Amino acid sequence: MSVIGRVLSISSLRQARMGSFLVLIALASIGSYAVLDTNARQGGITGQTQKTTNAGCSCHCSSANSATSVGLTTATTIFYPGTSATFTVTVSNSSEAGGGIDIAAYSGSLTAGSGLYLSSGELTHSSPQTFDASHTATWQFTYTAPSTAGWDTIYATGNAVNLNGQNGNGDCSDKWNWASKYIIQVLPQPRRLALGRPSIAFGQLRVGRRKADSLLVTSTGTFSITINSEAMKTGSQLGYVAPGSNGRTLNAGASEVDSVIFAPTSRGTFSDSLIFTTNSDTIPDQRKGIAVSGQGIQAVFSSSSSTLAFGNLRMNQTGLLPLPFSNTGDDTLFLQTPTISGSGFTISQQPHVLTLPPGIWDTVIVQFAPTSRVGYTGTLSFAALNGVTTPSIALSGNGVAPQVQSTTPALLGSVRVGQPLQGTITIKNTGNDVLHITSPALTQSGTKFTLGTYDATIAAGATGSFHLTYTPTAEKTDTAALQFTSDDPSSASVSITVLASGTLPHMLLGEIDTVVIGQVKVGGLVTRDIAIYNTGGADLTLNAVTVSPTPPFTVSSQNYVTAGGTVYATISFSPASVGIFDGVFTVSGDDPKYPTESLFIRGSGINSALSITPATVSFGSVAVSKTAFDTILLSNSGTASVNILGYKLSSYAAFGIIDSSVHQIAPGATAKLVLSFTPAGPIAYNGTLTLTTDEATPTRVVNVSGIGVKGALSVLPSSIDFGPIDTGMSSTMTVSVHNTGTAAIQISGISINPTGSAFSYTTKTTLPTSLAAGDSLDADVTFAPRSGGEQIGALSITLADNTTSSVALHGSGVVKASSNSVRAEDAILTGLAIAPNPSHGSSTCTLTLARPDQVHLAVIDPLGREVMVQDLGMLSEGSHQIELTTPGLAAGVYFVRVECAGAPSMQSQFILER
C-alpha cells in the first residue's frame, strides 16, 4: 500500500523570489513528493552533455548559442587501455562575466582537477568561474581510457553567465554551447613474440641417454609480454625446462633461453610441439610453437619361443631341443654367455657369437635327461649390455613310469538277503606311463562273490575297474580277496580285501500303548505325527497304514521306509460334537519278524460360547470435534477358547476402535473393547461394529449411534450508527450476543478497536464465560466524542478458538461554538476534498491551509484501523494536492483524516471500487 503524490504550494510559488530553491519531501512508506529545481548553476550542472540529452543547458535557454565557445585539448595522441591523459577544457564568451562546465565520457573514467568535482559519473564546476582578461574560463581534468581497446568519446557543455545568480528568466541572457565531440581510439598494446628457430631435431639417440638443446625467445613489441609455456605431450621422452614459471613477464626487447631435452626410454621416433601462449594483441603471436623430434634406438633380443617343453621322457633317456634367437632392433646386441638353472637340464651347444649386429641370428641347444618319475623345470637365461632386456626361457619336462594305486578293504555295500548286488572295485594309475593288469582271481569261502569284466590297460593318471556280483544267503557280512599282477616295477603283485553284507528290514513305532491327541474345538482340526522307524539294513515296504473309527479320525502316510530311515504317519482328529473319542492306529509291512504294529488313540471334543454386552451402543449427544468413549464386554462361557478373527466398523467418519488387540478369550474369561465417537458436525450418526469369530455363527453385529451438537454465535445488530453527537456528550446502544446452536460456546473476551477511540463498552457478565445453547448476554456500547468529525470503530467478540465476530461502529462528533472554540480567522485547515469519489485505484486529495503548519495524513478502514499513515511535514499556506494510489487495498469504504498541529482535524469518506 502506498500513497504517491506531488505537493504544489500555490501561494508559496507566487511569493518565491527569482533563483528559487529546491524543495524535496520524501515519504518513506507512502511515496515521494517533488518540486522543480529552478537554479542549478551554483553547485554545477550535470546531465547536460550530448551523451545524455539533445536539449543542452535548457534552464538558461532552450538553444545553444554560438557566442559561447567550448573547447577540449590534450597533448596526447595515442591511447592504450588503462592509460591516462590530462585534458584542458575552456569556456569563452566576450559578452559574459563567467562560466560553468559539464564533462562526460562514453566509457572511460574522469578525475576532477581544480574547480571541478565528480557528480553522477560526470565532472562539473563547484562554482561558476570568473572569466579572465581574454573572457575565458579554464579547467583541467584527467581522462583514463577503458580497459579494452575500441572507441570512446568525451563530451562537454559550457555555460557563459553574467554571474547575477539568476537564470535570466529564460530570456537567454546567459548563453551555453556544446564542445565538439572529442573522439578517442583506444589502441591495443603492441606485444610481440619471436622464436629463434622453427624446429629442433635431435636425430638418433640410444635409449637411456640424454641430450639437450636451446631455444631463444624474444619480446619484439613495445610493451612487455606475458608468457605461458605448455608441457609437451610425450612427457618423459621429450621434455622442456622453462627459465621461469607460467605467467612470467618478458620486457620489450628482452630475451630468454629455454631448454629442450630428449631422453628416450624406448625405441621409436618421437615428435611433439613446444607451445607458447601469450597476451599478445595479435592472433599469430598469441599461440606460437616449434616442432621437436628425435629417434630412440636400441638392440632387441628376440627368441623363437619363450619356452622349451620336452614333454614326457622315459627315465634315463635324453632329449635335445634348439632355441634360435636374433637381434631385431636397430642397435648392436652385446650378449654374455647364457646359463641354465634347474636339475635335469644342460646346455649341449653354446651360441657361435655373442655380438650380434641388427638382423643377425644364432642358436643354443638344450639337453633334458630325467632320472626319476617327476616333473622337471628350469630356466635358460641370457644377459645383455647397454640396458637391453633379455627374456628367461622356461624349461620343462617329465620323467615317466606307471604306478598302481588301490584301497583295501573294498566295501561293495549291502543288499537284501537273496537279492544280487552289482559292485565295482576301482584302482588308479598314478604314474605317468601306461599300466597293464594280468591274472585277476577271487579267493573266498563259498560262492557268494563272482568276478566279471575288468580293465586290463589303464592310461597314465586314469582309473580302471573290476566288476563283481554279490548274492547273500543270510543277514551277515561276507569276505573275499581279489588278487592280480601289474607291470608297476614297485608293485608287481596286488591283493585287495572285498567286504559285502546281507540285510533285512525291522519295523518299530515311535509310540507305545495309547496316544492322547487332546482337546479339540468342535469343527476344528488337530494332527499328531506317529514315527515309523526302519532299524534294519534293508528298505521297509508298508503294506497298510489305517485308523478307526473314521470319522472323527483319519490318517495319511508314506508306504516306504529306507534302511535306517524314518517316516511319519499323520493322524487327524476333527470332532463334530462334544465328548471323548477312542480309536485304533495299525501299521503292517514286510518285516519278516514283526509284520504288524498297533496303537490306541484318544481325543476330546470341546466348544466355546461368546456373549457381547451391551447388544447396542449409544453415545448420546457429544460436542462437535470432541471425543466420547464407551466399553463393550466380551465373555466366553464355553469350554474352549474363542478366537476373534477381526473387527470392522461400517462408518469410519465418527466412530473408532481404541484397542482391537484382543483376539482370543479363554474359557470363562472376559475382555473389554473400547469404542470412540468424534462427531464432525451437528448431525445424528449410525453405524455397526462387526466381529468375526471361529464359532459356528462366525459373525456378530453391534449397532452404534451418536448425535453431534455444536454452538452457533449470533450478534445483533451487525452495525451501529450513533449519528451526530455533541462533543462532551455520549450515547449508548445495546449489542445482544446469542448462542443459537445446540452446544455451549466459550467467549474469551470483548474489545473495542481501535484502542483509545471515542467508543467503549460495558457488560454485566464476567469474561471469559461459557454461553449455553439458547443463552445470550448483552454488551452496552457508548459513543462519547472528544473532537468533531466522523469517527469509526468496531466491537469485537472473540471465542475460545480465536474466531472473532465484529460490530461496525460509526458516529460524528459535533463541536458547538463557545468562548473556547477556535475562531474562523485562527483556523489552519480550511478545506478537504477527494476526487474522483468513488475511486477506482487513484484519486487526488486537495487540502487548503490558512497558514504554514505541520500536516499528518492517515487512511482508515471500516474497523477504525490506520492502514496508511504519513507525516507530510511543514506545508505552506494555500492549496495542496496529494495523489492517492491504493494498489493493495480491498474494495470498500475508507476515511481520509488530515490533522494539523494545535488545530482540529478534518476527515472525509471515500469509496474504493475495483
Side-chain angles (χ1 to χ4, degrees):
M1 298 178 287
S2 63
V3 178
I4 301 173
R6 297 184 302 276
V7 179
L8 303 175
S9 176
I10 299 172
S11 60
S12 297
L13 290 175
R14 288 198 304 267
Q15 297 173 6
R17 64 183 177 84
M18 298 305 292
S20 61
F21 59 92
L22 173 65
V23 178
L24 180 61
I25 301 175
L27 300 179
S29 62
I30 297 179
S32 62
Y33 302 76
V35 176
L36 179 64
D37 180 3
T38 60
N39 186 359
R41 294 175 299 154
Q42 296 298 325
I45 54 176
T46 58
Q48 305 299 320
T49 70
Q50 288 175 299
K51 176 183 178 181
T52 57
T53 180
N54 288 320
C57 190
S58 58
C59 58
H60 292 274
C61 190
S62 62
S63 301
N65 194 308
S66 60
T68 297
S69 175
V70 185
L72 284 166
T73 58
T74 182
T76 303
T77 59
I78 298 176
F79 289 86
Y80 297 111
T83 59
S84 300
T86 300
F87 276 79
T88 300
V89 60
T90 58
V91 176
S92 303
N93 190 305
S94 59
S95 62
E96 299 293 343
I101 193 69
D102 180 17
I103 308 166
Y106 183 77
S107 57
S109 60
L110 304 175
T111 303
S114 177
L116 299 175
Y117 72 97
L118 191 66
S119 175
S120 301
E122 299 183 3
L123 295 178
T124 186
H125 57 273
S126 55
S127 61
Q129 186 180 141
T130 303
F131 284 156
D132 58 14
S134 61
H135 297 279
T136 299
T138 302
W139 298 267
Q140 286 189 332
F141 65 92
T142 300
Y143 163 78
T144 301
S147 60
T148 58
W151 294 90
D152 199 5
T153 304
I154 300 179
Y155 308 86
T157 299
N159 186 24
V161 298
N162 53 21
L163 298 179
N164 66 355
Q166 299 180 5
N167 66 358
N169 295 324
D171 59 1
C172 299
S173 59
D174 295 338
K175 303 172 181 63
W176 65 271
N177 200 359
W178 283 308
S180 297
K181 298 177 183 177
Y182 197 100
I183 307 301
I184 295 173
Q185 183 180 11
V186 182
L187 300 174
Q189 293 177 337
R191 296 180 172 89
R192 303 292 185 269
L193 184 71
L195 303 179
R197 56 201 294 191
S199 63
I200 295 177
F202 285 94
Q204 290 185 337
L205 186 64
R206 179 170 289 168
V207 171
R209 296 188 178 183
R210 185 176 185 273
K211 184 177 182 181
D213 207 339
S214 61
L215 174 67
L216 184 67
V217 181
T218 305
S219 172
T220 60
T222 57
F223 280 82
S224 63
I225 191 167
T226 300
I227 300 175
N228 292 285
S229 43
E230 299 180 1
M232 286 189 283
K233 297 184 178 65
T234 50
S236 60
Q237 309 288 350
L238 291 170
Y240 165 70
V241 179
S245 62
N246 274 343
R248 61 189 180 275
T249 299
L250 196 60
N251 294 329
S255 298
E256 68 176 30
V257 177
D258 296 17
S259 296
V260 181
I261 300 168
F262 180 41
T265 59
S266 61
R267 296 175 60 224
T269 300
F270 303 95
S271 60
D272 208 334
S273 296
L274 176 57
I275 303 298
F276 296 88
T277 58
T278 73
N279 63 341
S280 173
D281 57 299
T282 63
I283 293 177
D285 282 2
Q286 290 175 2
R287 182 179 177 87
K288 302 189 76 168
I290 67 167
V292 182
S293 62
Q295 181 184 2
I297 61 173
Q298 189 176 35
V300 178
F301 180 94
S302 298
S303 62
S304 60
S305 175
S306 60
T307 62
L308 284 179
F310 288 86
N312 294 331
L313 189 63
R314 287 284 181 173
M315 293 186 298
N316 301 320
Q317 295 182 0
T318 60
L320 298 175
L321 285 177
L323 179 71
F325 60 91
S326 63
N327 178 7
T328 59
D330 43 24
D331 195 8
T332 300
L333 175 63
F334 301 95
L335 290 177
Q336 296 179 353
T337 302
T339 60
I340 277 186
S341 63
S343 62
F345 302 98
T346 57
I347 295 178
S348 174
Q349 178 181 304
Q350 291 284 0
H352 295 87
V353 293
L354 295 176
T355 300
L356 275 71
I360 301 303
W361 66 272
D362 203 340
T363 302
V364 62
I365 298 176
V366 180
Q367 175 181 287
F368 173 49
T371 58
S372 61
R373 192 179 55 229
V374 296
Y376 292 82
T377 60
T379 303
L380 173 62
S381 300
F382 293 87
L385 304 177
N386 300 330
V388 176
T389 300
T390 56
S392 294
I393 308 301
L395 308 177
S396 63
N398 299 309
V400 296
Q403 184 176 12
V404 65
Q405 183 184 69
S406 62
T407 301
T408 185
L411 304 178
L412 295 186
S414 60
V415 66
R416 191 176 182 122
V417 173
Q419 296 181 357
L421 171 65
Q422 303 297 328
T424 301
I425 296 178
T426 301
I427 62 174
K428 185 175 183 179
N429 178 8
T430 59
N432 47 15
D433 199 1
V434 176
L435 176 69
H436 297 91
I437 303 298
T438 58
S439 305
L442 279 174
T443 302
Q444 60 178 316
S445 61
T447 58
K448 302 179 186 68
F449 297 93
T450 58
L451 178 62
T453 60
Y454 68 95
D455 295 318
T457 301
I458 304 173
T463 58
S465 299
F466 292 88
H467 298 280
L468 286 79
T469 300
Y470 168 65
T471 306
T473 58
E475 189 177 9
K476 59 174 290 192
T477 300
D478 295 303
T479 303
L482 173 64
Q483 297 173 339
F484 62 89
T485 58
S486 74
D487 61 352
D488 179 355
S490 60
S491 299
S493 179
V494 179
S495 179
I496 301 174
T497 300
V498 182
L499 300 177
S501 300
T503 61
L504 289 172
H506 298 288
M507 183 172 66
L508 178 67
L509 296 183
E511 303 283 350
I512 60 175
D513 296 332
T514 301
V515 177
V516 179
I517 294 181
Q519 296 179 333
V520 180
K521 195 171 184 177
V522 173
L525 176 68
V526 68
T527 62
R528 178 70 176 270
D529 290 336
I530 305 297
I532 304 174
Y533 301 108
N534 178 6
T535 60
D539 295 340
L540 173 67
T541 300
L542 301 179
N543 300 321
V545 180
T546 62
V547 66
S548 65
T550 58
F553 300 103
T554 58
V555 66
S556 63
S557 175
Q558 298 181 15
N559 57 6
Y560 187 78
V561 186
T562 59
T566 305
V567 298
Y568 292 89
T570 301
I571 300 174
S572 299
F573 173 51
S574 179
S577 60
V578 176
I580 298 175
F581 298 87
D582 292 318
V584 178
F585 169 69
T586 303
V587 180
S588 62
D590 63 350
D591 181 350
K593 187 174 182 180
Y594 299 104
T596 301
E597 295 282 356
S598 297
L599 294 173
F600 294 104
I601 55 176
R602 170 171 288 186
S604 300
I606 58 175
N607 212 350
S608 63
L610 177 66
S611 61
I612 303 175
T613 306
T616 62
V617 176
S618 176
F619 286 91
S621 297
V622 178
V624 171
S625 299
K626 300 296 183 180
T627 302
F629 303 94
D630 206 344
T631 302
I632 295 176
L633 185 65
L634 307 177
S635 303
N636 181 9
S637 58
T639 59
S641 296
V642 59
N643 293 310
I644 302 175
L645 307 179
Y647 302 88
K648 182 179 180 181
L649 277 170
S650 62
S651 172
Y652 291 96
F655 301 107
I657 301 174
I658 298 303
D659 185 2
S660 60
S661 62
V662 176
H663 291 286
Q664 187 180 74
I665 303 174
T670 60
K672 293 181 180 180
L673 180 66
V674 180
L675 303 182
S676 66
F677 174 50
T678 308
I683 60 174
Y685 293 85
N686 292 285
T688 58
L689 170 65
T690 302
L691 285 76
T692 304
T693 72
D694 62 349
E695 292 191 311
T697 303
T699 302
R700 304 291 185 89
V701 178
V702 179
N703 292 320
V704 184
S705 64
I707 301 174
V709 294
K710 185 177 182 180
L713 183 67
S714 174
V715 181
L716 295 174
S718 61
S719 63
I720 299 175
D721 189 349
F722 288 93
I725 302 295
D726 293 341
T727 56
M729 303 299 289
S730 65
S731 176
T732 301
M733 294 188 182
T734 300
V735 174
S736 178
V737 180
H738 184 67
N739 182 1
T740 60
T742 57
I745 57 177
Q746 300 294 322
I747 299 178
S748 60
I750 301 176
S751 60
I752 292 289
N753 295 313
T755 304
S757 66
F759 300 99
S760 63
Y761 84 93
T762 60
T763 179
K764 297 178 179 179
T765 304
T766 302
L767 300 177
T769 186
S770 176
L771 203 60
D775 287 351
S776 63
L777 63 82
D778 293 333
D780 294 330
V781 181
T782 301
F783 175 50
R786 296 183 293 274
S787 60
E790 193 169 14
Q791 302 183 41
I792 60 176
L795 175 73
S796 298
I797 298 96
T798 303
L799 302 183
D801 60 0
N802 292 324
T803 59
T804 301
S805 297
S806 298
V807 178
L809 306 178
H810 180 265
S812 299
V814 179
V815 180
K816 288 194 172 183
S818 65
S819 58
N820 294 326
S821 300
V822 179
R823 296 177 301 172
E825 58 270 20
D826 294 331
I828 299 175
L829 185 60
T830 60
L832 175 63
I834 299 174
N837 192 1
S839 170
H840 291 278
S842 178
S843 295
T844 300
C845 175
T846 303
L847 58 93
T848 304
L849 300 180
R851 63 175 182 270
D853 204 346
Q854 294 283 342
V855 180
H856 176 86
L857 181 146
V859 178
I860 303 171
D861 68 5
L863 297 180
R865 297 173 297 188
E866 293 183 339
V867 295
M868 293 190 296
V869 294
Q870 185 62 44
D871 287 320
L872 301 182
M874 177 67 72
L875 298 183
S876 62
E877 65 178 290
S879 296
H880 301 267
Q881 291 183 335
I882 300 174
E883 186 176 347
L884 300 175
T885 58
T886 56
L889 296 181
V893 178
Y894 295 84
F895 300 87
V896 175
R897 181 165 59 207
V898 180
E899 296 178 344
C900 294
S905 64
M906 295 190 72
Q907 183 168 290
S908 179
Q909 173 182 298
F910 79 101
I911 299 173
L912 177 61
E913 295 180 351
R914 294 296 186 188

